[in-house]
């Protein structure tokens, strides 16, 4: 049995306790770590928890459940995947945060793993995935912590809701079946949907904004029938460095559904002048994205409402 043990580390100009907190709070991982699409708690205790993670690895979407043990005094978090996704046969490790001084720390990310059937090619695939993801996770952790004071104005979160006289299932089906969006939605020019694992989708599409410009995006979507679809864009327009969101559906006792579209965006400040003009600033970019993303979402919800209300008996 071949067990690989590897370590990655990075120095962060931030207090150790603050860095530990960001790692411990898994709900925010999609915003902090590039490979992570969605995380939720299966079980949660004071020091022990089970979490389910959806993430990309070497361009493929994977999901798994891990057990974590949190030690806030020692600033350590150990983790172990319960049922690893092939080609991984075993995967675990430890986050270790070490204070260097009051405002600086070292973060070590340790992994131990082995491949299914101890296959050398599969092990090499895991080596590449762990190395790429560990480096990107640590770089993103450093950037998010160190830029926390300046990133607030670059972060935009908003939601839009509509009331639909139809079932949550029918609304969910419309949003879930994105392969039909080119025929169903006027702002979608091209669409490609892959779903090799049920409920885990890779959606690539070309969308047209109100001003006539077109852009290509790719998202990984995690689907929870029939009430929620969470997503993270992995190919972004030039004006964004992050875009996560979800569709959330709540049906009341009368069969009326409240459908909500939520977006969280981090602006790419360096690209604002090239895209919106030399005089444009962060506020202009925020308004532009709020209008563009909100318009597309409201349009999608409008057509979903039409679809669900026609389907109602």
């Amino acid at each position: 049995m071949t067990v690989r043990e590897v370590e990655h580390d990075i120095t962060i100009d931030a207090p150790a306790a603050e860095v530990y907190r960001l790692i411990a709070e898994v709900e925010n991982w999609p915003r902090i770590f590039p490979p992570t699409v969605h995380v939720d708690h299966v079980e949660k205790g004071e020091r022990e928890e089970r979490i389910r993670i959806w993430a990309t690895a070497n361009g493929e979407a994977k999901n798994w459940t891990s057990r974590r043990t949190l030690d806030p005094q020692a600033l350590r978090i150990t983790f172990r995947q319960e049922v690893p996704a092939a080609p991984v046969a075993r995967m675990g490790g430890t986050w270790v945060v070490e204070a260097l001084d009051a405002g600086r720390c070292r973060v070590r990310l340790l992994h131990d793993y082995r491949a299914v059937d101890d296959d050398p090619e599969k092990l090499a695939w895991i080596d590449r995935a762990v190395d790429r993801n560990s480096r990107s996770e640590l770089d993103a952790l450093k950037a998010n912590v160190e830029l926390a004071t300046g990133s607030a104005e670059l972060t935009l979160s908003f939601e839009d809701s509509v009331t639909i006289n139809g079932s949550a299932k029918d609304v969910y089906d419309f949003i879930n079946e994105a392969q039909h969006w080119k025929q169903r939605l006027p702002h979608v020019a091209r669409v490609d949907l892959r779903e090799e694992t049920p409920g885990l989708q890779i959606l690539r599409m070309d969308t047209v904004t109100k001003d006539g410009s077109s852009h290509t995006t790719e998202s990984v979507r995690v689907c929870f029938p029939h009430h929620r679809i969470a997503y993270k864009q992995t190919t972004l327009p030039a004006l964004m460095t992050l875009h996560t969101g979800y569709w959330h559906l709540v049906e009341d006792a009368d069969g009326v559904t409240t459908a909500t579209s939520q977006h969280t965006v981090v602006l790419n400040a360096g690209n604002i002048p090239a895209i919106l003009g030399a005089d444009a600033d962060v506020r202009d970019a925020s308004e532009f994205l709020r209008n563009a993303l909100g318009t597309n979402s409201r349009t999608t919800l409008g057509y979903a409402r039409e679809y669900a209300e026609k389907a109602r008996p």
Side-chain angles (χ1 to χ4, degrees):
M1 182 174 69
T2 303
V3 177
R4 185 85 84 213
E5 295 182 353
V6 298
E7 177 176 335
H8 297 78
D9 72 279
I10 199 164
T11 299
I12 299 179
D13 292 325
E18 179 66 10
V19 176
Y20 173 86
R21 182 186 66 80
L22 281 172
I23 300 170
E25 294 176 353
V26 297
E27 296 89 347
N28 291 320
W29 277 21
R31 302 183 191 181
I32 297 172
F33 299 128
T36 305
V37 177
H38 183 69
V39 184
D40 62 19
H41 280 98
V42 181
E43 298 173 8
K44 185 172 173 58
E46 186 176 346
R47 297 291 179 89
E48 303 284 338
E49 63 184 18
R50 293 175 66 221
I51 59 173
R52 193 172 184 194
I53 305 167
W54 291 261
T56 57
N58 293 341
E60 299 179 25
K62 303 284 185 181
N63 72 94
W64 62 89
T65 301
S66 291
R67 289 190 175 273
R68 301 207 314 168
T69 302
L70 288 76
D71 187 342
Q73 278 71 46
L75 303 183
R76 295 173 66 96
I77 301 171
T78 59
F79 58 89
R80 178 71 52 191
Q81 293 184 11
E82 289 188 342
V83 182
V88 180
R90 163 183 163 179
M91 176 70 73
T94 308
W95 290 93
V96 183
V97 184
E98 302 170 338
L100 299 177
D101 54 43
R104 198 162 59 100
C105 66
R106 178 188 181 210
V107 177
R108 299 165 57 210
L109 178 54
L110 288 63
H111 284 97
D112 63 84
Y113 53 86
R114 71 180 188 88
V116 172
D117 300 324
D118 288 325
D119 184 294
E121 291 186 4
K122 293 175 181 176
L123 185 61
W125 186 96
I126 303 169
D127 286 338
R128 293 192 299 272
V130 169
D131 185 64
R132 180 181 294 110
N133 284 0
S134 296
R135 291 178 188 277
S136 66
E137 285 181 358
L138 289 172
D139 287 343
L141 180 67
K142 177 180 174 69
N144 277 279
V145 172
E146 293 182 352
L147 297 178
T149 55
S151 65
E153 67 169 358
L154 299 179
T155 301
L156 171 68
S157 291
F158 64 92
E159 61 182 40
D160 295 293
S161 297
V162 301
T163 301
I164 299 173
N165 188 25
S167 73
K169 180 184 182 304
D170 288 330
V171 179
Y172 176 90
D173 287 346
F174 184 93
I175 299 170
N176 179 62
E177 296 168 358
Q179 70 270 25
H180 301 309
W181 280 6
K182 185 177 184 296
Q183 292 75 38
R184 293 176 172 176
L185 296 173
H187 61 276
V188 176
R190 184 182 65 86
V191 65
D192 175 48
L193 181 72
R194 289 180 286 142
E195 188 171 354
E196 296 175 2
T197 301
L200 188 56
Q201 303 176 341
I202 297 178
L203 172 63
R204 187 173 181 85
M205 62 182 181
D206 295 340
T207 57
V208 180
T209 56
K210 198 162 60 173
D211 64 2
S213 61
S214 176
H215 58 262
T216 300
T217 61
E218 183 169 290
S219 302
V220 179
R221 306 205 307 175
V222 183
C223 306
F224 303 95
H226 295 99
H227 67 281
R228 190 178 182 90
I229 295 177
Y231 63 86
K232 181 176 186 177
Q233 284 193 354
T234 50
T235 299
L236 292 154
L239 204 52
M240 295 183 277
T241 61
L242 174 82
H243 182 197
T244 65
Y246 57 79
W247 306 89
H248 186 60
L249 311 173
V250 179
E251 182 178 341
D252 67 17
D254 297 321
V256 175
T257 298
T258 299
T260 299
S261 169
Q262 192 275 348
H263 297 269
T264 294
V265 169
V266 176
L267 295 166
N268 188 334
N271 286 342
I272 293 174
I275 297 170
L276 299 181
D279 295 331
D281 57 17
V282 168
R283 182 175 179 179
D284 296 323
S286 295
E287 291 177 356
F288 176 85
L289 287 177
R290 174 65 177 93
N291 181 60
L293 296 174
T295 296
N296 284 352
S297 292
R298 290 190 300 272
T299 299
T300 300
L301 289 175
Y303 279 90
R305 174 167 56 194
E306 182 180 317
Y307 176 89
E309 291 182 350
K310 282 184 178 178
R312 182 160 185 160

